[in-house]
């Protein structure tokens, strides 16, 4: 079983592009992101407005055959929790905050 594990990607689109590229190249089973997914210094509105881009990258990772496991970090606004839970319910990623979740 192959994993890519990272944290502190923030909103940096180039880092997300590199992650998608690495998933396509290395074909891991899972991508685990241990927090700090969203913009760090630009406030709540910037974080919430970045969520569609996060969803797009998650779709690309899923299409490449990997499952995403993620959690928000200390720089991520808690107002993003409903979107994290929604993505989990849709099967886009596994949001594992405050829960035990069996994945595969």
């Amino acid at each position: 079983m192959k994993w890519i594990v990272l944290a502190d990607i923030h909103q940096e689109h180039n880092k997300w592009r590199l992650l998608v590229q690495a998933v396509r190249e290395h074909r891991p089973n899972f991508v685990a992101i241990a927090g700090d997914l969203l913009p760090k210094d630009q406030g709540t509105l910037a974080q919430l407005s970045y969520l569609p881009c996060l969803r797009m990258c998650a779709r690309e990772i899923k299409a490449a055959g990997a499952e995403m496991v993620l959690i928000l970090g200390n720089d991520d606004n808690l107002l993003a929790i409903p979107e994290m839970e929604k993505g989990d319910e849709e099967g886009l990623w596994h949001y594992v905050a405050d829960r035990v979740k069996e994945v595969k």
Side-chain angles (χ1 to χ4, degrees):
M1 183 176 310
K2 258 180 161 171
W3 287 75
I4 292 178
V5 180
L6 64 149
D8 298 297
I9 198 167
H10 295 287
Q11 94 287 1
E12 294 189 40
H13 198 66
N14 187 48
K15 287 182 182 178
W16 282 100
R17 291 281 102 216
L18 289 172
L19 175 59
V20 170
Q21 181 181 346
V23 169
R24 288 180 180 144
E25 181 179 333
H26 297 287
R27 312 296 283 173
N29 303 92
F30 296 98
V31 174
I33 306 177
D36 292 341
L37 312 165
L38 305 172
K40 181 176 181 174
D41 299 322
Q42 297 146 352
T44 302
L45 185 57
Q47 289 201 359
L48 297 178
S49 66
Y50 192 76
L51 292 170
C53 192
L54 171 65
R55 293 177 70 82
M56 179 189 68
C57 290
R59 281 188 204 95
E60 291 182 41
I61 288 168
K62 188 170 183 78
E67 292 195 45
M68 258 178 51
V69 179
L70 53 83
I71 189 168
L72 294 176
N74 65 309
D75 289 326
D76 297 324
N77 195 296
L78 297 179
L79 291 175
I81 290 174
E83 184 66 25
M84 297 297 105
E85 292 171 340
K86 182 179 175 187
D88 184 284
E89 291 167 9
E90 294 171 354
L92 195 52
W93 53 62
H94 301 279
Y95 180 62
V96 296
D98 299 324
R99 65 187 82 181
V100 174
K101 184 160 187 174
E102 186 172 331
V103 179
K104 281 196 179 181

